[in-house]
Amino acid sequence: MEITKEQWAIAGTVGIIVVFLGWMYFSKAPLPTPSTTSSSIASSTVPAATSSASSTVPAVSSRPVTVLSPFPINTNDTIVSWNFKGAYTDNTTLINQANADSSRLTSLLGKGQYDNYDLYIGIGNDANLIGNGKGAYNAYNHSIAIYPNKGLAYVNLAHLMDELGAYHTAVDAYAKAVAVEPTVLEYHLEQLDYLTRQFPKDTALVLAAFTVANKQFGDSASILAIEAQWFESQGRYADAVKAWQTVEALSPANRTAAISAQIARDIAKE
């Protein structure tokens, strides 16, 4: 059996954090107390580091925002339909729940109680859950207009574009997230996981992303594990072995058996 991401994840690292599973960070949890800041609202579902730009922006943004220039759809992409099968699409109860939550969040916009950036992300997440691509796109663009140098909205937008089949636009959105908050490991992991899955044969694109991540974080088990699996998919087993060996060296003893077994399998394929 091939090694899984769960097997290679090491203690103290986040592994592959699927940021958009934070779709629930408003719809599945009660809103925090009014004194809660933007960064702590998101802390239950995204790492605190995602708020690294908060030192240069107000703690809470309640100002009205107009989206003058929405995130562009890549010219290589054609969105045939903005509607898609969301996680709640076939469940009337959950659809009603998402719509009610979206209305609740919308009613809080501009009140100063919660950051509009987070509220718009929550509204976008609700739209995504019911397969309303246009609604999600509009909401994420409102977040981006508020804080263009925070990465979470770009990552969620990238996931949305993946759902809509706008794969090159997703590439652009991941790249933007990494560019505006380069020290957030999770954004790099999301980008690398996506590129190696959706564009595995675009060697230049994939390697460029790995180069940026490696330069930023050095030897990271999470990054190197994705790289090793990509090498395997390309038949580059000697390179995969080297990557896995570093992952093994960085991992606690209770994780090394699975990694060693994977190394042995790759050596047998060289």
Side-chain angles (χ1 to χ4, degrees):
M1 185 175 81
E2 297 297 304
I3 194 166
T4 65
K5 291 189 176 83
E6 288 75 15
Q7 289 172 308
W8 58 252
I10 64 172
T13 66
V14 294
I16 298 295
I17 302 295
V18 182
V19 177
F20 92 21
L21 291 184
W23 300 124
M24 307 307 187
Y25 82 65
F26 274 112
S27 58
K28 284 252 180 162
L31 284 168
T33 60
S35 61
T36 304
T37 65
S38 170
S39 59
S40 62
I41 289 173
S43 64
S44 64
T45 54
V46 296
T50 61
S51 61
S52 62
S54 62
S55 61
T56 60
V57 296
V60 176
S61 170
S62 60
R63 68 184 188 274
V65 60
T66 300
V67 179
L68 299 177
S69 180
F71 193 88
I73 305 301
N74 191 292
T75 56
N76 291 309
D77 292 331
T78 300
I79 298 178
V80 177
S81 173
W82 283 90
N83 297 316
F84 62 95
K85 185 176 174 61
Y88 288 2
T89 297
D90 294 326
N91 189 311
T92 301
T93 299
L94 293 178
I95 290 172
N96 291 338
Q97 174 184 304
N99 285 330
D101 188 67
S102 182
S103 296
R104 177 172 63 99
L105 299 179
T106 299
S107 72
L108 294 169
L109 288 168
K111 301 291 180 61
Q113 192 176 15
Y114 307 106
D115 198 307
N116 281 356
Y117 180 89
D118 296 307
L119 292 171
Y120 275 118
I121 286 181
I123 292 166
N125 293 346
D126 283 324
N128 187 288
L129 288 168
I130 64 175
N132 177 4
K134 198 66 173 181
Y137 177 69
N138 289 338
Y140 296 146
N141 273 294
H142 273 81
S143 286
I144 289 168
I146 295 169
Y147 296 150
N149 291 323
K150 295 182 74 170
L152 181 59
Y154 295 111
V155 171
N156 281 15
L157 191 145
H159 281 286
L160 172 66
M161 291 298 127
D162 188 16
E163 292 273 12
L164 293 170
Y167 302 123
H168 294 88
T169 308
V171 171
D172 296 340
Y174 279 124
K176 187 67 174 178
V178 167
V180 298
E181 290 198 279
T183 62
V184 180
L185 174 61
E186 289 77 12
Y187 297 165
H188 289 267
L189 298 178
E190 283 288 297
Q191 178 193 43
L192 295 171
D193 189 54
Y194 175 76
L195 293 178
T196 56
R197 169 173 57 83
Q198 197 64 53
F199 294 91
K201 296 190 180 301
D202 192 335
T203 302
L205 178 66
V206 172
L207 287 179
F210 275 118
T211 297
V212 171
N214 289 330
K215 184 177 180 180
Q216 181 70 48
F217 300 102
D219 283 341
S220 162
S222 301
I223 293 170
L224 287 167
I226 299 174
E227 190 170 31
Q229 293 183 322
W230 176 67
F231 283 142
E232 290 167 348
S233 74
Q234 303 306 298
R236 297 172 57 177
Y237 295 107
D239 290 327
V241 167
K242 292 179 182 178
W244 282 127
Q245 286 172 337
T246 305
V247 174
E248 184 177 34
L250 294 170
S251 300
N254 65 345
R255 298 288 187 179
T256 58
I259 299 169
S260 295
Q262 186 63 39
I263 290 171
R265 285 191 288 270
D266 285 345
I267 289 174
K269 295 175 183 178
E270 288 185 52

